[in-house]
């Protein structure tokens, strides 16, 4: 009998992640004998050491190692290099290759929801998720402007990837169809917080939160009350996981199973998205 393929999630913390639940459900639906465990690592060097020690076939990488693991890999996909973050590792023989499926996950979900080409996007935040978002939007013909608390970081991101930027204080004058929150403000356990004053929300037709825990953040609740169409981060999360399965196995992932597993766990439903 062939031994099961082994996969893992590396992050710190990892206990809250839904990746093990989602990937195990996907593997079972695909009829695969494969393990997926969550591993809390101390630093990026430990991520690589544990990957090799455990003889993994692939891994997911989350906060805070998405940028720091990149220079330690044997090869990095061009898109991940441009974004400056890796969320997926694939073993090819003895070499470890890095990819970024966050950009794919976001684009996949936005195309299903509101479309990208020709739309103007206001991106809140300038971290790894914002970089993935801007890359994905530019690639698909969208027009993003980055707004961030630390203006210098927004300026650097915009310069590197080739988009517009503005200080966070200018969000009230934003002319965009879609607002996307890529900051962690409002994420569990600080669910009472929101990154945007509610009076500003009605200027956007669409409001998306990349946060998926809680499934409905305060931002989305206030946006819906202001008449905006809203989208949770669950679809992006499922999309990035689906991208990982394609890279690891070169097979089509069971999207419906993955989505149902995540929404059931978070107490959400399809009607909300
Ligand atoms: P990150 O690199 O740490 O960036 C966080 C950004 O948020 C920074 O630009 C930071 O601004 C801003 N920020 C943080 N706290 C703030 C505050 N109190 N006020 C104003 N701005 C604040 O994190 P990341 O990797 O981009 O991840 C961010 C979030 O994206 C995660 O929490 C997660 O919910 C979401 N995400 C979702 C998915 C998905 O599949 N749905 C995938 C990836 C990420 P400064 O530059 O001023 O510090």
């Amino acid at each position: 009998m062939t031994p099961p393929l082994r996969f893992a999630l590396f992050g710190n913390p990892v206990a809250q992640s839904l990746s093990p639940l989602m990937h195990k459900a996907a593997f079972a639906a695909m009829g695969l004998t494969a393990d997926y465990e969550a591993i809390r690592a101390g630093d990026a060097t430990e991520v690589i050491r544990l990957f090799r020690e455990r003889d993994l076939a692939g891994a997911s990488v989350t906060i805070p190692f998405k940028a720091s693991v990149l220079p330690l890999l044997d090869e990095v996909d061009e898109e991940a290099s441009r974004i400056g973050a890796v969320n997926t590792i694939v073993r090819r023989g003895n070499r470890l290759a890095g990819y970024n499926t966050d950009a794919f996950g976001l684009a996949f979900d936005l195309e299903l929801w509101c479309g990208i080409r020709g739309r103007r996007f206001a991106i809140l935040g300038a971290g790894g998720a914002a970089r993935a978002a801007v890359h994905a939007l530019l690639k698909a013909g969208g027009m993003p402007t980055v707004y961030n608390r630390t203006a210098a970081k927004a300026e650097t991101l915009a310069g590197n990837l080739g988009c517009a930027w503005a200080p966070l204080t200018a969000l009230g004058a934003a002319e965009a169809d879609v607002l996307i929150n890529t900051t962690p403000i409002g994420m569990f356990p600080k669910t009472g917080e929101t990154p945007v004053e509610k009076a500003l929300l009605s200027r956007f037709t669409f409001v998306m939160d990349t946060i998926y825990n809680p499934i409905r953040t305060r931002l989305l609740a206030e946006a819906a009350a202001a008449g905006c169409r809203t989208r949770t981060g669950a679809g992006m999360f499922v999309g990035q996981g689906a991208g990982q399965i394609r890279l690891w196995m070169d097979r089509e992932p069971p999207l419906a199973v993955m989505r149902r597993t995540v929404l059931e766990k978070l107490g959400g439903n399809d009607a909300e998205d």
Side-chain angles (χ1 to χ4, degrees), residues 19-87:
S19 289
L21 185 76
M22 178 173 74
H23 281 307
K24 282 180 184 170
F27 296 162
M30 295 165 81
L32 290 170
T33 315
D35 291 338
Y36 186 106
E37 59 176 327
I39 302 175
R40 191 161 65 92
D43 57 29
T45 310
E46 194 183 1
V47 170
I48 301 296
R49 182 172 60 74
L50 291 173
F51 188 108
R52 291 199 179 277
E53 260 176 34
R54 288 174 195 236
D55 198 23
L56 301 177
S60 313
V61 180
T62 188
I63 292 173
F65 304 127
K66 287 186 185 185
S68 54
V69 83
L70 191 148
L72 305 182
L73 296 164
D74 300 308
E75 49 195 86
V76 177
D77 165 70
E78 196 187 321
E79 195 164 49
S81 294
R82 195 158 165 72
I83 294 166
V86 156
N87 79 328

Side-chain angles (χ1 to χ4, degrees), residues 63 66 102 125-130 148-150 153 168 182-185 187 210-212 233 236-237 240:
I63 292 173
K66 287 186 185 185
D102 285 334
N148 193 48
R149 173 178 63 181
T150 309
K153 228 165 120 186
L168 192 54
T182 74
T183 79
I185 305 169
M187 192 162 73
T210 63
I211 293 171
Y212 57 84
M236 174 183 176
F237 180 66
Q240 62 80 35

Side-chain angles (χ1 to χ4, degrees), residues 42-160:
D43 57 29
T45 310
E46 194 183 1
V47 170
I48 301 296
R49 182 172 60 74
L50 291 173
F51 188 108
R52 291 199 179 277
E53 260 176 34
R54 288 174 195 236
D55 198 23
L56 301 177
S60 313
V61 180
T62 188
I63 292 173
F65 304 127
K66 287 186 185 185
S68 54
V69 83
L70 191 148
L72 305 182
L73 296 164
D74 300 308
E75 49 195 86
V76 177
D77 165 70
E78 196 187 321
E79 195 164 49
S81 294
R82 195 158 165 72
I83 294 166
V86 156
N87 79 328
T88 310
I89 303 176
V90 184
R91 179 158 55 78
R92 301 201 192 290
N94 198 32
R95 293 175 68 76
L96 304 189
Y99 296 85
N100 186 305
T101 66
D102 285 334
F104 165 79
L106 180 70
F108 172 78
D109 197 51
L110 284 173
E111 292 291 12
L112 285 176
W113 181 48
C114 65
I116 295 176
R117 182 161 296 282
R119 283 206 187 279
R120 296 162 303 170
F121 293 83
I123 307 297
L124 275 188
R131 293 183 67 88
V134 167
H135 174 82
L137 294 171
L138 290 172
K139 189 174 161 191
M143 293 169 280
T145 301
V146 174
Y147 298 82
N148 193 48
R149 173 178 63 181
T150 309
K153 228 165 120 186
E155 187 176 10
T156 303
L157 187 166
N160 288 345

Side-chain angles (χ1 to χ4, degrees), residues 214-236:
I215 190 80
R216 288 203 77 71
T217 54
R218 179 174 159 195
L219 171 68
L220 293 190
E222 291 181 351
C228 312
R229 285 183 54 195
T230 61
R231 189 78 163 173
T232 75
M236 174 183 176

